[in-house]
């Protein structure tokens, strides 16, 4: 099931365009403000811009989280399923 973003919150409005331009972003925002989506979105755009993977190709992106709690939140937002369909 796709993730729906119904409201573009400040962190998305300010962070995503900067990240899509290849710049580093440090975003400070409250819990539930869209920070996870703000850095997953540019990663997904990058993945979609790649040529299809062939056997033996490595990962295109890697998500590192500094805490277990944040890793669990990312897992819940992104989901357990690998990105497929048009992305691979």
């Amino acid at each position: 099931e796709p993730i729906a973003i119904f409201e573009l919150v400040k962190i998305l409005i300010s962070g995503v365009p900067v990240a899509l331009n290849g710049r580093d972003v440090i975003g400070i925002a409250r819990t539930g403000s869209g920070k996870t989506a703000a850095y997953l979105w540019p990663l997904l755009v990058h993945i979609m811009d790649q040529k299809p993977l062939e056997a033996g190709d490595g990962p295109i992106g890697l998500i590192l989280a500094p805490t277990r709690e944040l890793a669990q939140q990312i897992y819940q937002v992104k989901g357990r399923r690998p990105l497929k369909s048009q992305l691979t």
Side-chain angles (χ1 to χ4, degrees), residues 3-24:
I3 299 168
I5 299 174
F6 296 104
E7 179 183 344
L8 289 177
V9 292
K10 290 179 183 179
I11 193 76
L12 293 172
I13 293 169
S14 58
V16 170
V18 174
L20 287 174
N21 281 315
R23 306 285 305 196
D24 293 336

Side-chain angles (χ1 to χ4, degrees), residues 52-69:
L53 294 177
E54 297 184 17
D57 285 348
I60 295 173
L62 176 65
I63 299 170
L64 300 176
T67 65
R68 178 183 174 97
E69 291 78 16

Side-chain angles (χ1 to χ4, degrees), residues 19-36:
L20 287 174
N21 281 315
R23 306 285 305 196
D24 293 336
V25 177
I26 297 176
I28 301 171
R30 299 175 75 168
T31 299
S33 63
K35 292 184 300 290
T36 302

Side-chain angles (χ1 to χ4, degrees), residues 42-83:
L43 175 62
L44 295 175
V45 170
H46 172 73
I47 291 169
M48 291 187 295
D49 284 343
Q50 303 303 307
K51 64 182 173 88
L53 294 177
E54 297 184 17
D57 285 348
I60 295 173
L62 176 65
I63 299 170
L64 300 176
T67 65
R68 178 183 174 97
E69 291 78 16
L70 182 56
Q72 290 172 326
Q73 177 185 342
I74 295 166
Y75 178 85
Q76 291 170 352
V77 170
K78 192 292 190 175
R80 182 176 182 167
R81 294 159 281 143
L83 298 170

